[in-house]
Amino acid sequence: MVDIGMMFGAAAVTTFLGFPSPEAVDRPPAIAIVGADTATPYASVGPYCAGAPAAIRRAMAPYAANVAHYDFDLDGPLLPEGVRVVDHGDLVVGEDASANRATIRAAIDAILDDGAVPILLGGDDSVQTPMIAALAAHGPLAILQVDAHIDWRDEVDGERLGLSSTMRRASELAGVGPIVQVGQRAIGSARPADRDDAVAAAVTLVSAREVHRDGIARAVAAIPAGARVLVALDVDVLDPAVLPAVIGPAPGGLTYWQVVELITAVAERATIVAMGCVELVPTRDRDGLSALTAGRIVATTIGAIARQR
Ligand SMILES: [Mn+2]
């Protein structure tokens, strides 16, 4: 089967856009990608996003030879001159959730200690919990969560660190806030009391319906100017017509451009210090379309981060 990489002369690459491994660069990178298939999966469904980081890298591989070309989504090449990005590959995770969390925490701590911006490719949303702990330990943290769901469950089947508790656990950490959550729609893990708890915690909730009706301005304004911001992207925020490969597709989701405009507007106002891109289910993808869309959002965010430094 032909692919566009053949036309562009792309050699086989296994890293995101062919970016080098950390060992291959002589100076600390500005941005560091790392993958994790899961951290704390629920027993009911297991690590259903396994293989997602590899799928995202595979979808972007055809463009590896042309990274220096004009990227019209960024109005220039992806990376300004001299900005280095590395890809650590995937962390080794397995059935020991506590060990998985420690592995992710250590990897993110090491990237932050190097002065780089971590980009964590999940994996289900539980991979973000140890990343958020690492980020909060390095300074005050605002969160822009872009997700169809609020993830404010205290526990699910007794598990308090799973993918439906990510934002509640984040809210409990010293130095985390404000939290701005964008893209809610349909039915998810939240009961009425969970949503009330988020509101009581002064979270800004901007639903998918509001974004379609009124745009992203209220969400952007809720991020303080100059804040250190985590962009926590659950790809199920995108409409299933755009990105179908998620565990619970729901109509009425955001478009690619709504997500990109939101992230780039926040990058102009504040400092993106990390990104998570989670919840892609590669076994439910169609011709790699979802992995490509996720990969494009990651690339565009990398471009926005590279421009703010
Ligand atoms: Mn979600």
Side-chain angles (χ1 to χ4, degrees):
M1 192 174 76
V2 297
D3 75 49
I4 197 165
M6 297 174 185
M7 193 164 71
F8 287 169
V13 296
T14 55
T15 62
F16 190 85
L17 282 174
F19 291 137
S21 69
E23 298 76 34
V25 297
D26 52 0
R27 273 183 286 164
I31 297 164
I33 297 162
V34 63
D37 278 347
T38 191
T40 317
Y42 292 133
S44 58
V45 286
Y48 59 83
C49 295
I56 293 169
R57 293 187 182 96
R58 197 158 52 241
M60 296 299 284
Y63 302 92
N66 287 5
V67 172
H69 280 204
Y70 203 90
D71 187 332
F72 284 86
D73 293 5
L74 288 157
D75 241 337
L78 174 65
L79 297 178
E81 193 69 32
V83 176
R84 285 176 172 69
V85 183
V86 298
D87 186 348
H88 288 251
D90 286 352
L91 300 171
V92 177
V93 293
E95 304 214 328
D96 182 343
S98 176
N100 296 343
R101 293 190 295 269
T103 298
I104 294 169
R105 171 73 194 259
I108 300 299
D109 274 333
I111 290 168
L112 293 170
D113 288 342
D114 263 358
V117 175
I119 309 278
L120 177 61
L121 305 179
D124 60 81
D125 210 333
S126 69
V127 302
Q128 295 203 102
T129 292
M131 173 169 71
I132 292 168
L135 288 162
H138 279 75
L141 184 71
I143 297 178
L144 174 71
Q145 186 237 26
V146 193
D147 193 326
H149 312 105
I150 61 171
D151 298 345
W152 266 78
R153 285 287 292 266
D154 188 47
E155 53 80 33
V156 173
D157 295 336
E159 178 55 69
R160 301 181 78 243
L161 297 169
L163 61 97
S164 296
S165 301
T166 305
M167 286 300 115
R168 186 187 285 266
R169 292 291 91 78
S171 76
E172 295 165 348
L173 296 173
V176 170
I179 297 176
V180 180
Q181 304 193 222
V182 182
Q184 306 86 41
R185 66 190 194 277
I187 294 173
S189 58
R191 288 86 49 103
D194 300 315
R195 184 262 184 195
D196 292 349
D197 287 349
V199 171
V203 166
T204 298
L205 298 178
V206 180
S207 69
R209 188 174 196 167
E210 179 178 335
V211 172
H212 281 282
R213 192 182 53 211
D214 299 328
I216 57 168
R218 191 167 74 86
V220 174
I223 297 290
R228 297 173 75 238
V229 185
L230 162 67
V231 174
L233 171 70
D234 178 330
V235 298
D236 68 22
V237 77
L238 289 140
D239 192 80
V242 177
L243 196 148
V246 297
I247 193 167
L254 271 53
T255 67
Y256 169 79
W257 281 117
Q258 286 169 328
V259 172
V260 168
E261 294 283 7
L262 176 63
I263 293 171
T264 51
V266 167
E268 283 172 18
R269 179 176 176 81
T271 302
I272 297 176
V273 294
M275 178 194 201
C277 176
V278 302
E279 290 289 332
L280 179 77
V281 183
T283 53
R284 302 192 70 165
D285 208 352
R286 305 183 194 173
D287 294 335
L289 172 67
S290 305
L292 175 65
T293 302
R296 279 300 311 171
I297 295 172
V298 169
T300 307
T301 305
I302 286 172
I305 293 167
R307 281 160 175 72
Q308 74 187 359
R309 295 174 69 87

